[in-house]
């Protein structure tokens, strides 16, 4: 089975080709065209600009993916596209392209949930021992998801305000470091002292699996007003202390959830899962507590179409797979996973 997948939920235009042979998955192409250089001059993603860039890039990206995979349209068995959650104007471009190709090439269509795709990036590595608890951390979401199997999931908790990635982006902005914040903050944190500033660990001891990051961001803001941010070592200390606070909260709560729900596997997903220290810390804590641990390779953590293709493969294996219709599929910017 050959799947062509498209992802345009935010500011990456991506297309991927995945081949499955008796359950063995092989990623033949994963082309990602990033718009970061355009949006960083505005300090964040401008939805209208993102949509226009998607329009410009989507067909060349799809064609490049097919050429890299050496796959012709007639060899495709299924076309998949992200349909939400995400930016409405961005989602429409990818989904309408998928619908058009589905009609033109007479191929079945599957609309896929973006958060499920992030989680499914883990499934490329092979069999998962269920039940599992997945920490999903991106620019728009922060949640702990319980997975009974490949298809049945339940959200155990989520952020009540900012997402973890959003907190990285906002802290980077207030420290004058640019966009997107996660990779810059984590790089500067390498040269900083994690204990220099004792930032709060919001909701870490709360008896639930929810998160809150806006108070932490405000604490960084107030402290930053008292310090000289032109002195690079100080900025590095800010980054290290902030990153440690986020990691402590995310990892403690994930392990707490994994223990309470007696899962076999702890996994993580989403753009923030590209954070090396977070990966290492969660892996250490998960293994110490006796859980299996899974995390997608770095390039499958941030937005990409390979994860959409993997998600589509697993969804297509469901007994009663519900395919979409090119006339009816609509983008849903608020599509809740569970
Ligand atoms: O999943 P993603 O690519 O897009 C969304 O669906 O939101 O996640 C993007 C987020 C951004 O907020 C970015 O700052 C964050 O992931 N991010 C990181 C790192 N790399 C990307 N956060 C912390 N550390 C990183 N290394
Ligand atoms: Zn994402």
């Amino acid at each position: 089975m050959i799947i062509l997948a498209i992802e345009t939920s935010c500011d990456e235009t991506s297309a991927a080709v995945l081949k499955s042979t008796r359950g063995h998955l092989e990623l033949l192409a994963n082309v990602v065209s990033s718009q970061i250089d355009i949006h960083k001059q505005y300090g964040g993603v401008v939805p209208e600009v993102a949509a226009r860039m998607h329009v410009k890039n989507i067909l060349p990206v799809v064609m490049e993916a097919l050429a890299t995979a050496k796959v012709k349209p007639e060899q495709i068995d299924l076309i998949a596209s992200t349909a939400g959650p995400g930016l409405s104007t961005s989602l429409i471009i990818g989904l309408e392209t998928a619908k058009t190709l589905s009609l033109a090439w007479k191929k079945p269509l599957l609309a896929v949930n973006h958060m499920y795709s992030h989680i499914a990036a883990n499934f490329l590595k092979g069999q998962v021992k269920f039940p599992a608890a997945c920490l999903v951390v991106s620019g728009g979401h922060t949640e702990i998801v319980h997975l009974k199997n490949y298809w049945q999931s339940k959200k155990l908790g989520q952020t009540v305000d900012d997402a973890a990635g959003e907190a990285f982006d906002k802290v980077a902005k207030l420290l004058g470091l640019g966009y997107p914040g996660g990779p810059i903050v984590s790089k500067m944190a390498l040269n900083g002292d994690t204990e220099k500033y004792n930032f709060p660990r919001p909701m870490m001891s709360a008896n639930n699996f929810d998160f809150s990051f806006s108070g932490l961001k405000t604490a960084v803001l107030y402290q930053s007003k008292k310090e000289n941010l032109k002195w690079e070592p100080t900025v590095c200390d800010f980054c290290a202390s902030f990153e440690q606070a986020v990691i402590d909260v995310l990892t403690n709560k994930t392990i707490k959830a994994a223990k309470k729900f007696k899962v076999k596997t702890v996994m993580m997903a989403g753009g923030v899962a590209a954070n090396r220290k977070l990966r290492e810390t969660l892996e250490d804590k998960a293994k110490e507590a006796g859980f299996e641990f899974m995390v997608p390779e770095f390039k499958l953590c941030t937005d990409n179409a390979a994860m959409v293709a993997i998600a589509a493969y697993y969804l297509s294996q469901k007994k009663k797979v519900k395919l979409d219709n090119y006339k009816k599929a609509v983008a849903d910017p608020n599509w809740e996973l569970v």
Side-chain angles (χ1 to χ4, degrees), residues 114 118 138-140 165-166 168-169 180-183 186 270-272 274-275 301-303:
H114 183 67
H118 270 304
S138 71
E166 192 179 354
F168 270 96
D169 295 337
S186 57
V272 184
N275 183 291
C301 288
T302 44
D303 290 347

Side-chain angles (χ1 to χ4, degrees), residues 75-304:
Q75 293 173 277
I76 297 168
D77 297 296
L78 178 66
I79 298 178
S81 170
T82 307
L87 297 172
S88 172
T89 43
S90 288
L91 289 165
I92 287 169
I93 312 304
L95 184 62
E96 292 302 319
T97 303
K99 285 160 71 175
T100 309
L101 296 179
S102 160
L103 169 66
W105 292 342
K106 298 186 179 59
K107 302 292 175 187
L109 176 72
L110 194 55
V112 180
N113 181 290
H114 183 67
M115 305 318 291
Y116 179 69
S117 297
H118 270 304
I119 296 171
N122 282 289
F123 304 163
L124 184 63
K125 290 199 170 159
Q127 293 280 314
V128 179
K129 287 188 185 151
F130 290 107
C134 186
L135 171 67
V136 190
V137 266
S138 71
H141 292 77
T142 296
E143 47 203 45
I144 300 176
V145 176
H146 180 271
L147 298 157
K148 197 170 165 192
N149 51 41
Y150 288 108
W151 306 285
Q152 282 174 288
S153 60
K154 187 175 184 305
K155 205 188 290 172
L156 301 178
Q158 63 187 329
T159 182
V160 296
D161 43 52
D162 292 350
E166 192 179 354
F168 270 96
D169 295 337
K170 286 180 175 169
V171 163
K173 198 169 186 176
L174 69 89
L175 294 175
L177 298 177
Y179 174 85
I184 314 170
V185 168
S186 57
K187 193 164 168 219
M188 298 206 70
L190 291 174
N191 298 317
D193 177 358
T194 54
E195 286 169 22
K196 178 70 188 286
Y197 303 107
N198 187 20
F199 291 132
R201 268 74 171 151
M203 298 181 80
M204 190 157 81
S205 313
N207 199 20
N208 58 33
F209 301 110
D210 290 336
F211 301 97
S212 165
F213 291 106
S214 78
L216 170 59
K217 171 203 66 197
T218 308
V220 176
L221 174 68
Y222 286 153
Q223 187 66 38
S224 71
K225 290 192 170 157
K226 298 183 200 158
E227 309 281 348
N228 175 12
L229 295 182
K230 293 207 169 72
W231 176 240
E232 195 174 303
T234 299
V235 178
C236 290
D237 289 341
F238 264 96
C239 291
S241 301
F242 161 75
E243 184 184 56
Q244 193 59 51
V246 175
I247 290 174
D248 284 352
V249 178
L250 292 176
T251 56
N252 278 351
K253 290 207 116 164
T254 306
I255 297 299
K256 217 192 265 182
K259 285 182 178 164
K260 176 160 182 199
F261 290 89
K262 297 189 172 56
V263 301
K264 292 201 175 99
T265 305
V266 168
M267 51 173 80
M268 63 194 299
V272 184
N275 183 291
R276 195 178 289 274
K277 194 163 190 196
L278 174 62
R279 295 162 80 95
E280 288 168 0
T281 310
L282 189 58
E283 177 165 12
D284 287 349
K285 287 188 182 178
K287 288 188 171 163
E288 204 179 287
F291 301 113
E292 300 274 332
F293 178 75
M294 294 177 97
V295 61
E297 61 178 287
F298 285 96
K299 65 178 193 314
L300 296 189
C301 288
T302 44
D303 290 347
N304 67 87

